[in-house]
Amino acid sequence: MRRKSLGFLAIIFLAVGVFLPVAAFGATSSLKIGLPNQQVEDIQVTETKEEVFKKKGTLDFVLPKGVTFTSMPVVEVSDGDLKIDSIDNDFNSEGREYIAVKVKSESSVPSTIKISGIRLTVDRSVPDGPVYLELSGEAINETASVFPGSDVFKIQLGEVVGLTSDQSVAFSVGSQVYYDNGQAKVMDAVPYIKDSRTFVPLRFLLNAFGIEDEAIAFDNGKVTIHKGSQTIELFVAQKQMISDGKTVALDVSPEEQQGRVMLPVRAVAEILGAQVYFAEDQIIMTMAQ
């Protein structure tokens, strides 16, 4: 995923020209539909006067529907003396994930809240265009005198630029959870690394790319895959496969683990016409429908 420089979104004026004492530094990351674990630049929310956020209230940072946190980001006061207490993560009644940050004590000097380590999963229901994190909550609702007319503010996280026709699947080494077009699913095997190659369960990879179980046959160490008019043959413990009658050498052979055929992901994914990406411990593959 290509990353861009930190963008600036200043939430300063209402339509009527009223000054608001908070600014937000947002992100301009490019986000892909159907992919998990997409990294977003850090964001910051800065008071431009003291005591903007009120104690004992919460600041709620709410994602749009269809976008979720792959892992919990880090929330901290990076400047000033605002004190925060508990940080909770949940879903609201609309099915939108949010982080609730409780304010322990108000600031005596303008302070900044920083959210870092943001990784997002964007499912296929999310349209192309900007993705915003909405800031709301009791700590804002209690400050009507400084936030006249509105208590919800938008901070840009990035922009969805992916093609909705792309299929995708993402595996994590050592995890039974994988993502099929952005939807979390559970399998009965885990990817692993051997001889510097990443092995994934063949059947789950093929299913994610629209190849049903009926098009996959296993017989005495031989796997036959039918994808439209294309036929692929793989052989457990053999460093070759046959694609439409043509023999293709493999640098690592497929193997059987606990009743599942595991294979080096890049070779077969590329034979199927998929693009392969590696991000930390994840393997992400995309393929046009």
Side-chain angles (χ1 to χ4, degrees), residues 97-194:
E97 189 173 11
Y98 69 93
I99 297 173
V101 180
K102 188 173 182 179
V103 177
K104 184 176 182 179
S105 64
E106 298 161 7
S107 61
S108 62
V109 295
S111 300
T112 297
I113 293 177
K114 177 182 176 181
I115 304 179
S116 59
I118 304 170
R119 291 184 175 274
L120 300 177
T121 294
V122 182
D123 75 23
R124 296 175 68 82
S125 68
V126 180
D128 287 359
V131 173
Y132 294 104
L133 186 69
E134 292 185 356
L135 172 60
S136 59
E138 296 172 351
I140 294 178
N141 295 340
E142 294 176 358
T143 59
S145 62
V146 295
F147 288 105
S150 177
D151 57 9
V152 177
F153 306 93
K154 292 184 177 181
I155 308 164
Q156 186 164 338
L157 289 173
E159 186 164 359
V160 172
V161 296
L163 300 175
T164 57
S165 60
D166 285 351
Q167 293 175 300
S168 69
V169 59
F171 298 97
S172 293
V173 173
S175 174
Q176 289 183 270
V177 177
Y178 73 107
Y179 291 86
D180 182 350
N181 287 325
Q183 300 298 313
K185 297 183 178 181
V186 179
M187 53 190 172
D188 58 3
V190 298
Y192 56 86
I193 296 175
K194 181 179 178 180

Side-chain angles (χ1 to χ4, degrees), residues 192-199 251-252 264-266 278:
Y192 56 86
I193 296 175
K194 181 179 178 180
D195 297 331
S196 301
R197 298 293 184 270
T198 304
F199 286 73
D251 56 359
V252 181
V265 60
R266 186 180 293 277
F278 292 87

